[in-house]
Amino acid sequence: NAGVMQNPRHLVRRRGQEARLRCSPMKGHSHVYWYRQLPEEGLKFMVYLQKENIIDESGMPKERFSAEFPKEGPSILRIQQVVRGDSAAYFCASSPLALGVLNEQFFGPGTRLTVL
Amino acid sequence: GNSVTQMEGPVTLSEEAFLTINCTYTATGYPSLFWYVQYPGEGLQLLLKATKADDKGSNKGFEATYRKETTSFHLEKGSVQVSDSAVYFCALSDTGVQGAQKLVFGQGTRLTINP
């Protein structure tokens, strides 16, 4: 059973370009979390999605960032017009259920975004 | 809001030494507490967890006890191995919109074990 897959593992963008980060959850998991880790800091929650629904985006910056989890295909974290401050490691986690039960979140290896 | 503070690293020990990595938290309510480990080039893996006060989580020789009175969840291991070298994250669960179980992480502690 493959784990959570993220690609690309490393992404380099110039300021003003768009970055698309992909996350394929574990088989059977329909809940996805995105976290960001800035240099020398812990991971910070960004957004929680179920298939075709954004449930909690309280950690997402108000501008330039968006996320989706379509019925088919991976979850996408999209950053438009990247700036140097967006350079970070972005981690995706999936879980089988979320409501009312404490479920383990399984993490992917992360995408390291560098903005030049 | 809820937060986690953990011992700053890096921490370097010799093989078979005793390990403690301190973790304290600030939270409303009664969150669940976790330790995650990240090996080089990999994602975070759950090491152990505790869901209520006085619970002890344990795995692979590591232990941590949920101490409500001191709001702490310190990680310990009696005899470390070179293979324990990794970054360790303390975290708590924070319930968000529609039951979303957001994790709040400490900044991580890099542990290096020398033979």
Side-chain angles (χ1 to χ4, degrees), chain B residues 9-17 19 21 40 80-88 109-115:
Chain B
V11 174
T12 302
L13 296 172
S14 297
E15 204 165 23
E16 299 183 6
L19 168 70
I21 301 178
V80 292
Q81 306 300 314
V82 172
S83 58
D84 293 327
S85 298
V87 180
Y88 292 80
T109 301
R110 183 176 300 277
L111 174 66
T112 301
I113 307 300
N114 294 323

Side-chain angles (χ1 to χ4, degrees), chain B residues 52-67:
Chain B
K52 60 183 187 296
D54 300 325
D55 266 3
K56 177 187 282 188
S58 61
N59 186 24
K60 299 181 182 179
F62 290 89
E63 293 183 339
T65 301
Y66 191 148
R67 300 284 188 201

Side-chain angles (χ1 to χ4, degrees), chain A residues 61-102:
Chain A
K62 299 299 181 196
E63 298 178 349
R64 302 187 297 108
F65 285 72
S66 62
E68 63 178 14
F69 190 14
K71 187 177 179 182
E72 301 290 338
S75 175
I76 306 286
L77 179 68
R78 182 181 178 209
I79 312 172
Q80 296 177 287
Q81 299 176 312
V82 296
V83 300
R84 289 216 174 107
D86 297 332
S87 295
Y90 292 82
F91 291 93
C92 165
S94 72
S95 70
L97 288 170
L99 299 181
V101 179
L102 181 65

Side-chain angles (χ1 to χ4, degrees), chain A residues 11-56:
Chain A
L11 182 62
V12 178
R13 285 287 178 266
R14 296 191 180 279
R15 281 179 296 169
Q17 292 184 318
E18 178 180 286
R20 280 183 180 240
L21 288 62
R22 294 175 185 76
C23 169
S24 296
M26 287 182 68
K27 186 175 181 181
H29 288 191
S30 57
H31 301 263
V32 166
Y33 296 78
W34 284 94
Y35 294 85
R36 176 167 66 173
Q37 184 181 28
L38 295 170
E40 306 304 319
E41 294 185 17
L43 283 74
K44 298 276 197 299
F45 168 81
M46 299 181 75
V47 61
Y48 162 55
L49 309 102
Q50 297 174 17
K51 285 282 187 181
E52 300 184 278
N53 284 304
I54 297 173
I55 304 301
D56 185 339

Side-chain angles (χ1 to χ4, degrees), chain B:
Chain B
N2 295 349
S3 65
V4 174
T5 301
Q6 65 180 99
M7 178 176 175
E8 287 198 24
V11 174
T12 302
L13 296 172
S14 297
E15 204 165 23
E16 299 183 6
F18 184 86
L19 168 70
T20 300
I21 301 178
N22 290 338
C23 172
T24 57
Y25 67 91
T26 302
T28 54
Y30 304 98
S32 294
L33 301 174
F34 307 84
W35 277 99
Y36 280 83
V37 59
Q38 184 180 29
Y39 299 104
E42 297 183 14
L44 279 70
Q45 300 174 23
L46 179 63
L47 181 60
L48 52 83
K49 68 182 180 185
T51 58
K52 60 183 187 296
D54 300 325
D55 266 3
K56 177 187 282 188
S58 61
N59 186 24
K60 299 181 182 179
F62 290 89
E63 293 183 339
T65 301
Y66 191 148
R67 300 284 188 201
K68 183 166 173 279
E69 63 276 12
T70 54
T71 61
S72 64
F73 193 54
H74 304 322
L75 182 68
E76 297 182 335
K77 187 174 185 181
S79 177
V80 292
Q81 306 300 314
V82 172
S83 58
D84 293 327
S85 298
V87 180
Y88 292 80
F89 293 92
C90 184
L92 61 79
S93 63
D94 187 2
T95 301
V97 173
Q98 292 189 34
Q101 289 167 6
K102 304 182 288 187
L103 293 172
V104 177
F105 287 89
Q107 73 270 34
T109 301
R110 183 176 300 277
L111 174 66
T112 301
I113 307 300
N114 294 323

